[in-house]
Amino acid sequence: MTINELKDIASQVRRDIIRMVHACQSGHPGGSLGATDIVTALYFDQMQIDPENFRMDGAGEDMFFLSNGHISPMLYSILAHRGFFPVSELATFRRLGTRLQGHPTTAEGLPGIRVASGSLGQGLSVSCGAAQAKKLNGDSHLVFCLMGDGEQEEGQIWEAAMYAPAKHVDNLVAIIDYNKKQIDGSTDDVMNLGDMKAKYEAFGWKVYELNGNDMQQLVDTLNVARGNAHKGQPQLLLAHTEMGMGVDFMMGTHKWHGSAPNDEQAACALNQLKETLGDY
């Protein structure tokens, strides 16, 4: 796809996020909006996948794991528009007994979801295991993992960060949604993360720093990472993003981490986001 086509998809995904969270008055719009460009680039440009024939083992295709599972409305929208399940199902978000729960789960059998996530800090470990399984099975496809920056405060992240370079898990591409905000405020105030690039490089990762809301930079950097796969090192994209990206009153603050817009706020947000693929 062209960069403009990818941007159009991202705009529709952002509309879906606002409508989903507003409809049930529950969810996490801020991080979902901020990470939309990253996952749009993965699913519509980078990943070699077969949505119509989804397999839990991911054999013969690229795999994606969302570690910060609370930004599920973004992932659900992208999976639906990519063809994993009907777009109309987005209207069931967070409804009791439906497949689109607040955090992704496997119990409901939703195509595109391979692991329950939302207990922060676990996604990188899961991704290491999936990537190693591919290597053992002679499968040259890649594993992608998206993490939040707030969850870098979890100790399990750093166990996995040590493990991947030590075991040469070089078919793994991790991404940090680096918006510098979490539920209680800025990451600097809650627990300063320091120099993230230097830390991961010290552990043995190949690190790229970029604007995670710039679609061209995302596509270009992911192309470089794919070209550098299977060369001995796991890779990390340190993607600087803006929480609430695309909606002016949600940007620049952590207040929309887990708050739903009211009717007036939702209407204002939707007025700022172009409808490109049609609302569900």
Side-chain angles (χ1 to χ4, degrees):
M1 287 189 170
T2 67
I3 295 300
N4 284 336
E5 287 172 332
L6 293 171
K7 288 179 178 178
D8 282 347
I9 293 170
S11 181
Q12 185 64 53
V13 170
R14 289 188 166 101
R15 286 185 63 88
D16 292 346
I17 291 165
I18 295 297
R19 297 182 71 239
M20 292 163 70
V21 175
H22 169 254
C24 64
Q25 283 297 289
S26 180
H28 298 79
S32 297
L33 293 166
T36 291
D37 300 306
I38 296 170
V39 185
T40 297
L42 285 174
Y43 272 88
F44 288 89
D45 181 75
Q46 286 293 316
M47 292 174 59
Q48 299 171 8
I49 52 177
D50 184 3
E52 295 181 358
N53 298 290
F54 175 72
R55 294 175 45 165
M56 285 294 286
D57 64 9
E61 62 180 345
D62 294 334
M63 301 174 75
F64 172 79
F65 294 97
L66 177 68
S67 186
N68 48 335
H70 58 276
I71 62 173
S72 61
M74 172 273 298
L75 179 59
Y76 292 151
S77 173
I78 286 173
L79 290 176
H81 288 293
R82 190 63 176 85
F84 283 88
F85 55 85
V87 174
S88 60
E89 194 169 350
L90 297 178
T92 70
F93 177 63
R94 280 185 175 251
R95 303 299 182 188
L96 187 63
T98 70
R99 300 195 296 179
L100 274 60
Q101 293 300 299
H103 293 74
T105 68
T106 55
E108 288 79 11
L110 185 67
I113 304 299
R114 292 189 170 94
V115 64
S117 63
S119 297
L120 296 177
Q122 298 179 6
L124 191 58
S125 298
V126 171
S127 299
C128 283
Q132 280 196 303
K134 283 193 175 297
K135 290 171 73 72
L136 289 169
N137 291 330
D139 185 341
S140 63
H141 289 83
L142 304 183
V143 174
F144 296 89
C145 174
L146 178 63
M147 303 178 281
D149 52 1
E151 71 175 316
Q152 302 302 302
E153 298 161 9
E154 300 278 356
Q156 186 172 339
I157 290 285
W158 295 100
E159 295 179 53
M162 282 192 291
Y163 182 89
K167 302 301 180 182
H168 307 293
V169 188
D170 55 3
N171 55 340
L172 171 62
V173 179
I175 306 165
I176 295 178
D177 175 23
Y178 200 22
N179 60 35
K180 305 173 187 65
K181 296 177 181 64
Q182 57 192 105
I183 190 169
D184 289 327
S186 73
T187 53
D188 286 348
D189 293 335
V190 176
M191 188 178 293
N192 196 312
L193 298 174
D195 190 337
M196 293 296 293
K197 184 173 186 290
K199 286 181 178 181
Y200 270 88
E201 286 178 337
F203 277 74
W205 290 69
K206 187 172 185 62
V207 181
Y208 312 89
E209 197 160 7
L210 70 151
N211 180 348
N213 293 129
D214 184 313
M215 193 64 75
Q216 186 69 65
Q217 282 193 42
L218 280 165
V219 169
D220 290 346
T221 307
L222 286 166
N223 282 334
V224 172
R226 183 173 289 279
N228 285 327
H230 306 292
K231 294 183 179 180
Q233 283 182 288
Q235 300 178 83
L236 175 81
L237 273 63
L238 189 59
H240 294 268
T241 61
E242 183 68 56
M243 183 176 278
M245 186 68 184
V247 178
D248 57 7
F249 63 87
M250 292 186 175
M251 295 169 63
T253 175
H254 71 282
K255 300 296 186 181
W256 293 96
H257 171 92
S259 300
N262 60 29
D263 292 350
E264 182 180 356
Q265 291 165 333
C268 179
L270 291 172
N271 282 337
Q272 300 177 47
L273 299 166
K274 183 171 69 170
E275 180 181 351
T276 57
L277 302 179
D279 290 334
Y280 61 86

